[in-house]
């Protein structure tokens, strides 16, 4: 062993050993205190020969010195016995007490190795260890969901970003192979549309990243006014798609950012128009925006994944970033986004935002 390792090495005192020594030390100290009290009591016994109370009893009575010597001897044996009992019993009790901690440590090692599907699930009396176990299990559950989302995000992002480039490469290869028989204006138009799709994906991803790295200034904003400003464009898109768009608006002042809330309203209504049926209803009241559309019956498990980036592309058209962006914007507004599958088909999206406190 090198000098450096000798200098850095320290004996490892486990918690179990320290608890054992603490238990034994406490017993020994308590026994020593009790022995000292008994010794002090006998110190006040008068130092003269003791006689038996019965004059006919001829057995010699012990002197004070003999009594003190006996007390000291027996106290020594008692302290040794208490030390042994403290060490053995303390080691056993500490092991029983720390067994849940060993299970938590084993689960933490599995998590550190990349296995997140293990759960501790301690049972029994509610104490600090069961609270720690439940908190650790909850953390593992959230980490597992996050890693699964990140894996799906990476796979879907790679696919979505690769598709426009693959399409453009195919169109250019065809044009190079037969340049004389190409409709150049149509080719340029298709290239521009495909390139714009890639730009839209990248810009949305940048928006998601920017919202995660900066604070947003919030001011009193009338949510119904935001919807009215976006209504002409949304109505035109609904009319072109043959969708009936209706609204019921009540003045609702919330703490928010006008530009970002405009994005929330636009994305939710466009999502309902493009992926729903023939009717879309929008309601604003008391800090809540509700967008409801009819359509096919959706599985609740599928609906829960709609806020994941690129998830929507697995269930319909589009690159699936609209609801993910809405979810992030609502989060920075300290609000709540809820998606629920309608029993009769379609989807209901509700956004609840903190109402603004207006000075009176």
């Amino acid at each position: 062993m090198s000098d450096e390792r000798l200098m850095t090495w320290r004996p490892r005192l486990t918690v179990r050993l320290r608890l054992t020594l603490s238990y034994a030390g406490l017993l020994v100290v308590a026994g020593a205190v009790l022995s000292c009290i008994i010794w002090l009591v006998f110190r006040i016994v008068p130092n003269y020969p003791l006689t038996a109370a019965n004059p006919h009893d001829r057995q010699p009575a012990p002197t004070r010195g003999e009594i003190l010597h006996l007390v000291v001897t027996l106290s020594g044996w008692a302290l040794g016995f208490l030390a042994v009992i403290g060490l053995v019993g303390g080691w056993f009790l500490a092991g029983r007490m720390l067994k849940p901690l060993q299970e938590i440590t084993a689960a933490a090692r599995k998590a550190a190795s990349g296995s997140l599907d293990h759960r501790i699930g301690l049972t029994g009396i509610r104490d600090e260890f069961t609270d720690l176990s439940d908190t650790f299990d909850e953390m593992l559950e959230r980490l597992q969901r996050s890693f699964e989302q990140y894996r799906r995000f990476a796979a879907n992002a790679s696919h979505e970003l690769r598709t426009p480039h693959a399409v453009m490469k195919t169109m250019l290869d065809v044009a190079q192979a037969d340049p004389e028989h190409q409709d150049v204006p149509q080719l340029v138009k298709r290239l521009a549309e495909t390139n714009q799709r890639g730009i839209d994906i990248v810009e949305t991803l940048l928006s998601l990243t920017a919202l995660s790295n900066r604070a947003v200034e919030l001011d009193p904003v009338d949510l119904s006014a935001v919807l009215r400003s976006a209504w002409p464009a949304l109505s035109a898109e609904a009319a072109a798609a043959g969708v009936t768009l209706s609204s019921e608006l009540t003045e609702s002042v919330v703490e928010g950012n006008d530009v970002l809330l405009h994005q929330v309203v636009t994305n939710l209504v466009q999502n309902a128009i493009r992926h729903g049926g023939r009717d879309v209803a929008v309601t604003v009241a008391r800090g809540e925006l509700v967008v409801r559309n009819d359509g096919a019956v959706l599985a609740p498990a599928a609906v829960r994944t709609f806020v994941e980036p690129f998830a929507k592309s697995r269930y319909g058209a589009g690159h699936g970033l609209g609801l993910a962006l809405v979810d992030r914007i609502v989060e920075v507004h300290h609000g709540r986004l809820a998606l629920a599958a309608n029993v009769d088909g379609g989807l209901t999206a509700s956004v609840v935002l903190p109402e603004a406190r207006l000075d009176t």
Side-chain angles (χ1 to χ4, degrees):
M1 184 180 293
S2 64
D3 294 339
E4 182 179 354
R5 292 185 62 186
L6 284 172
M7 293 177 62
T8 57
W9 182 83
R10 294 289 186 277
R12 184 172 183 264
L13 291 178
T14 63
V15 175
R16 185 177 186 181
L17 179 58
R18 282 182 286 175
L19 286 175
T20 301
L21 295 176
S22 299
Y23 295 151
L26 183 61
L27 280 178
V28 171
V29 169
V33 170
L34 183 60
S35 299
C36 289
I37 293 174
I38 297 174
W39 184 81
L40 290 174
V41 169
F42 276 97
R43 285 282 296 175
I44 65 176
V45 175
N47 190 16
Y48 51 78
L50 300 177
T51 59
N54 186 2
H56 300 286
D57 192 354
R58 299 301 181 181
Q59 294 183 357
T63 64
R64 187 186 69 172
E66 292 174 337
I67 295 175
L68 289 177
H69 177 74
L70 181 61
V71 167
V72 171
T73 302
L74 293 179
S75 296
W77 284 101
L79 291 178
F81 179 74
L82 289 176
V84 174
I85 292 297
L87 289 173
V88 176
W91 183 261
F92 174 75
L93 291 176
R96 288 284 303 272
M97 294 291 294
L98 295 177
K99 185 178 180 181
L101 188 59
Q102 295 173 352
E103 297 182 19
I104 296 174
T105 302
R109 288 198 181 101
K110 288 185 178 181
S113 65
S115 176
L116 298 176
D117 56 353
H118 176 72
R119 300 294 180 268
I120 304 171
L122 285 182
T123 58
I125 300 175
R126 299 296 305 177
D127 56 14
E128 290 82 354
F129 286 122
T130 54
D131 291 341
L132 178 60
S133 170
D134 293 343
T135 303
F136 193 82
D137 286 345
E138 182 180 353
M139 182 190 70
L140 288 178
E141 183 70 25
R142 295 181 63 181
L143 284 175
Q144 186 177 17
R145 288 199 304 265
S146 297
F147 280 123
E148 289 175 355
Q149 290 177 0
Y150 285 136
R151 282 194 291 265
R152 289 194 295 266
F153 171 80
N156 293 326
S158 300
H159 174 75
E160 292 292 332
L161 291 174
R162 181 180 60 186
T163 300
H165 294 83
V167 172
M168 288 189 290
K169 183 178 184 301
T170 300
M171 288 188 291
L172 291 174
D173 289 343
V174 172
Q176 288 178 346
D178 189 12
E180 296 180 357
H181 297 85
Q182 294 298 318
D183 186 348
V184 176
Q186 182 66 22
L187 176 62
V188 172
K189 179 182 178 182
R190 293 182 61 192
L191 285 173
E193 292 175 350
T194 307
N195 183 63
Q196 186 61 45
R197 172 181 169 81
I199 292 174
D200 291 341
I201 295 174
V202 173
E203 287 183 346
T204 307
L205 289 175
L206 291 175
S207 298
L208 287 170
T209 304
L211 287 172
S212 301
N213 297 328
R214 66 181 177 88
V216 177
E217 294 185 3
L218 304 180
D219 299 305
V221 177
D222 185 359
L223 193 57
S224 60
V226 173
L227 184 59
R228 290 189 187 96
S229 66
W231 197 256
L234 296 174
S235 299
E237 181 172 346
V243 175
T244 302
L245 184 61
S246 61
S247 66
E248 183 178 344
L249 308 181
T250 303
E251 182 180 2
S252 180
V253 181
V254 298
E255 291 287 345
N257 180 280
D258 187 30
V259 176
L260 294 179
L261 290 181
H262 188 279
Q263 186 75 51
V264 168
V265 169
T266 301
N267 284 13
L268 286 179
V269 178
Q270 284 181 342
N271 181 79
I273 294 172
R274 297 172 183 177
H275 307 297
R278 293 301 177 184
D279 293 294
V280 176
V282 184
T283 305
V284 173
R286 302 180 63 181
E288 183 177 14
L289 167 68
V290 179
V291 179
R292 188 183 190 281
N293 63 270
D294 58 354
V297 177
L298 301 173
V303 172
R304 285 194 292 268
T305 66
F306 282 178
V307 294
E308 297 180 22
F310 302 106
K312 187 62 177 143
S313 60
R314 301 197 298 270
Y315 303 98
H319 49 65
L321 289 172
L323 292 179
L325 184 58
V326 168
D327 183 57
R328 184 59 189 138
I329 293 175
V330 172
E331 183 179 349
V332 301
H333 279 75
H334 311 292
R336 183 179 72 255
L337 170 66
L339 302 177
N342 300 326
V343 178
D344 54 349
L347 183 72
T348 296
S350 63
V351 173
V352 179
L353 299 172
E355 294 188 74
R357 297 181 179 179
L358 301 178
D359 296 334
T360 58

mmCIF file of all heavy atoms in Angstrom, residues 337-358:
data_model
loop_
_atom_site.group_PDB
_atom_site.id
_atom_site.type_symbol
_atom_site.label_atom_id
_atom_site.label_comp_id
_atom_site.label_asym_id
_atom_site.label_seq_id
_atom_site.Cartn_x
_atom_site.Cartn_y
_atom_site.Cartn_z
ATOM 1 N N LEU A 337 -52.742 22.306 -17.382
ATOM 2 C CA LEU A 337 -53.352 21.811 -18.617
ATOM 3 C C LEU A 337 -53.881 20.413 -18.373
ATOM 4 O O LEU A 337 -53.179 19.555 -17.843
ATOM 5 C CB LEU A 337 -52.321 21.790 -19.747
ATOM 6 C CG LEU A 337 -52.751 21.076 -21.039
ATOM 7 C CD1 LEU A 337 -53.903 21.809 -21.720
ATOM 8 C CD2 LEU A 337 -51.564 20.925 -21.997
ATOM 9 N N ALA A 338 -55.137 20.192 -18.741
ATOM 10 C CA ALA A 338 -55.757 18.874 -18.581
ATOM 11 C C ALA A 338 -56.356 18.448 -19.913
ATOM 12 O O ALA A 338 -57.085 19.223 -20.549
ATOM 13 C CB ALA A 338 -56.819 18.904 -17.488
ATOM 14 N N LEU A 339 -56.065 17.225 -20.324
ATOM 15 C CA LEU A 339 -56.630 16.639 -21.535
ATOM 16 C C LEU A 339 -57.473 15.431 -21.139
ATOM 17 O O LEU A 339 -57.015 14.581 -20.372
ATOM 18 C CB LEU A 339 -55.520 16.217 -22.502
ATOM 19 C CG LEU A 339 -54.543 17.297 -22.966
ATOM 20 C CD1 LEU A 339 -53.462 16.680 -23.856
ATOM 21 C CD2 LEU A 339 -55.261 18.414 -23.700
ATOM 22 N N ALA A 340 -58.684 15.373 -21.660
ATOM 23 C CA ALA A 340 -59.586 14.276 -21.303
ATOM 24 C C ALA A 340 -60.317 13.802 -22.554
ATOM 25 O O ALA A 340 -60.822 14.620 -23.340
ATOM 26 C CB ALA A 340 -60.588 14.719 -20.239
ATOM 27 N N ALA A 341 -60.354 12.495 -22.716
ATOM 28 C CA ALA A 341 -61.100 11.905 -23.832
ATOM 29 C C ALA A 341 -62.593 11.946 -23.522
ATOM 30 O O ALA A 341 -63.021 11.560 -22.436
ATOM 31 C CB ALA A 341 -60.635 10.472 -24.072
ATOM 32 N N ASN A 342 -63.374 12.439 -24.458
ATOM 33 C CA ASN A 342 -64.822 12.498 -24.279
ATOM 34 C C ASN A 342 -65.419 11.100 -24.432
ATOM 35 O O ASN A 342 -64.951 10.285 -25.237
ATOM 36 C CB ASN A 342 -65.459 13.438 -25.300
ATOM 37 C CG ASN A 342 -64.919 14.850 -25.181
ATOM 38 O OD1 ASN A 342 -64.600 15.310 -24.077
ATOM 39 N ND2 ASN A 342 -64.808 15.536 -26.307
ATOM 40 N N VAL A 343 -66.459 10.833 -23.664
ATOM 41 C CA VAL A 343 -67.104 9.520 -23.721
ATOM 42 C C VAL A 343 -67.698 9.263 -25.102
ATOM 43 O O VAL A 343 -67.605 8.147 -25.637
ATOM 44 C CB VAL A 343 -68.206 9.419 -22.640
ATOM 45 C CG1 VAL A 343 -68.923 8.077 -22.732
ATOM 46 C CG2 VAL A 343 -67.603 9.598 -21.249
ATOM 47 N N ASP A 344 -68.275 10.304 -25.694
ATOM 48 C CA ASP A 344 -68.893 10.154 -27.010
ATOM 49 C C ASP A 344 -67.931 10.429 -28.158
ATOM 50 O O ASP A 344 -68.342 10.539 -29.312
ATOM 51 C CB ASP A 344 -70.109 11.081 -27.126
ATOM 52 C CG ASP A 344 -69.749 12.528 -26.806
ATOM 53 O OD1 ASP A 344 -68.630 12.777 -26.305
ATOM 54 O OD2 ASP A 344 -70.585 13.412 -27.062
ATOM 55 N N GLY A 345 -66.646 10.560 -27.861
ATOM 56 C CA GLY A 345 -65.648 10.782 -28.898
ATOM 57 C C GLY A 345 -65.097 12.198 -28.873
ATOM 58 O O GLY A 345 -65.765 13.141 -28.484
ATOM 59 N N GLY A 346 -63.868 12.326 -29.297
ATOM 60 C CA GLY A 346 -63.234 13.634 -29.313
ATOM 61 C C GLY A 346 -62.430 13.902 -28.051
ATOM 62 O O GLY A 346 -62.230 13.017 -27.208
ATOM 63 N N LEU A 347 -62.006 15.148 -27.921
ATOM 64 C CA LEU A 347 -61.098 15.524 -26.849
ATOM 65 C C LEU A 347 -61.533 16.845 -26.231
ATOM 66 O O LEU A 347 -62.023 17.734 -26.921
ATOM 67 C CB LEU A 347 -59.672 15.658 -27.405
ATOM 68 C CG LEU A 347 -58.545 15.983 -26.420
ATOM 69 C CD1 LEU A 347 -58.248 14.763 -25.557
ATOM 70 C CD2 LEU A 347 -57.287 16.412 -27.174
ATOM 71 N N THR A 348 -61.357 16.965 -24.913
ATOM 72 C CA THR A 348 -61.590 18.226 -24.217
ATOM 73 C C THR A 348 -60.287 18.664 -23.575
ATOM 74 O O THR A 348 -59.698 17.918 -22.784
ATOM 75 C CB THR A 348 -62.671 18.088 -23.138
ATOM 76 O OG1 THR A 348 -63.916 17.761 -23.765
ATOM 77 C CG2 THR A 348 -62.829 19.394 -22.365
ATOM 78 N N ALA A 349 -59.820 19.844 -23.944
ATOM 79 C CA ALA A 349 -58.599 20.422 -23.387
ATOM 80 C C ALA A 349 -58.980 21.630 -22.545
ATOM 81 O O ALA A 349 -59.695 22.524 -23.014
ATOM 82 C CB ALA A 349 -57.639 20.836 -24.495
ATOM 83 N N SER A 350 -58.524 21.652 -21.304
ATOM 84 C CA SER A 350 -58.824 22.769 -20.413
ATOM 85 C C SER A 350 -57.530 23.327 -19.843
ATOM 86 O O SER A 350 -56.649 22.573 -19.428
ATOM 87 C CB SER A 350 -59.763 22.336 -19.284
ATOM 88 O OG SER A 350 -59.146 21.353 -18.482
ATOM 89 N N VAL A 351 -57.447 24.646 -19.837
ATOM 90 C CA VAL A 351 -56.290 25.350 -19.284
ATOM 91 C C VAL A 351 -56.792 26.247 -18.166
ATOM 92 O O VAL A 351 -57.660 27.087 -18.383
ATOM 93 C CB VAL A 351 -55.572 26.190 -20.359
ATOM 94 C CG1 VAL A 351 -54.481 27.047 -19.720
ATOM 95 C CG2 VAL A 351 -54.982 25.293 -21.431
ATOM 96 N N VAL A 352 -56.245 26.051 -16.964
ATOM 97 C CA VAL A 352 -56.602 26.871 -15.814
ATOM 98 C C VAL A 352 -55.398 27.728 -15.452
ATOM 99 O O VAL A 352 -54.301 27.205 -15.214
ATOM 100 C CB VAL A 352 -57.023 25.996 -14.609
ATOM 101 C CG1 VAL A 352 -57.370 26.880 -13.418
ATOM 102 C CG2 VAL A 352 -58.205 25.116 -14.987
ATOM 103 N N LEU A 353 -55.602 29.047 -15.416
ATOM 104 C CA LEU A 353 -54.520 29.992 -15.125
ATOM 105 C C LEU A 353 -54.875 30.810 -13.888
ATOM 106 O O LEU A 353 -56.056 31.044 -13.612
ATOM 107 C CB LEU A 353 -54.299 30.929 -16.319
ATOM 108 C CG LEU A 353 -53.888 30.265 -17.641
ATOM 109 C CD1 LEU A 353 -53.908 31.283 -18.766
ATOM 110 C CD2 LEU A 353 -52.499 29.647 -17.509
ATOM 111 N N PRO A 354 -53.861 31.266 -13.145
ATOM 112 C CA PRO A 354 -54.145 32.099 -11.968
ATOM 113 C C PRO A 354 -54.788 33.415 -12.385
ATOM 114 O O PRO A 354 -54.304 34.102 -13.286
ATOM 115 C CB PRO A 354 -52.761 32.323 -11.345
ATOM 116 C CG PRO A 354 -51.903 31.253 -11.905
ATOM 117 C CD PRO A 354 -52.432 30.965 -13.277
ATOM 118 N N GLU A 355 -55.896 33.745 -11.744
ATOM 119 C CA GLU A 355 -56.567 35.004 -12.052
ATOM 120 C C GLU A 355 -55.766 36.176 -11.472
ATOM 121 O O GLU A 355 -55.149 36.064 -10.418
ATOM 122 C CB GLU A 355 -57.989 35.004 -11.483
ATOM 123 C CG GLU A 355 -58.893 33.975 -12.143
ATOM 124 C CD GLU A 355 -60.331 34.123 -11.713
ATOM 125 O OE1 GLU A 355 -61.002 35.082 -12.160
ATOM 126 O OE2 GLU A 355 -60.795 33.284 -10.913
ATOM 127 N N ALA A 356 -55.788 37.293 -12.200
ATOM 128 C CA ALA A 356 -55.037 38.465 -11.786
ATOM 129 C C ALA A 356 -55.739 39.164 -10.631
ATOM 130 O O ALA A 356 -56.987 39.193 -10.562
ATOM 131 C CB ALA A 356 -54.865 39.428 -12.954
ATOM 132 N N ARG A 357 -54.940 39.717 -9.727
ATOM 133 C CA ARG A 357 -55.482 40.495 -8.621
ATOM 134 C C ARG A 357 -55.520 41.973 -9.030
ATOM 135 O O ARG A 357 -54.477 42.619 -9.127
ATOM 136 C CB ARG A 357 -54.647 40.334 -7.369
ATOM 137 C CG ARG A 357 -54.633 38.900 -6.844
ATOM 138 C CD ARG A 357 -53.803 38.804 -5.573
ATOM 139 N NE ARG A 357 -53.791 37.450 -5.037
ATOM 140 C CZ ARG A 357 -53.135 37.077 -3.946
ATOM 141 N NH1 ARG A 357 -52.422 37.987 -3.274
ATOM 142 N NH2 ARG A 357 -53.184 35.834 -3.528
ATOM 143 N N LEU A 358 -56.693 42.458 -9.305
ATOM 144 C CA LEU A 358 -56.858 43.836 -9.767
ATOM 145 C C LEU A 358 -57.074 44.745 -8.578
ATOM 146 O O LEU A 358 -57.876 44.449 -7.695
ATOM 147 C CB LEU A 358 -58.002 43.940 -10.764
ATOM 148 C CG LEU A 358 -57.873 43.065 -12.031
ATOM 149 C CD1 LEU A 358 -59.102 43.223 -12.901
ATOM 150 C CD2 LEU A 358 -56.628 43.424 -12.807
#
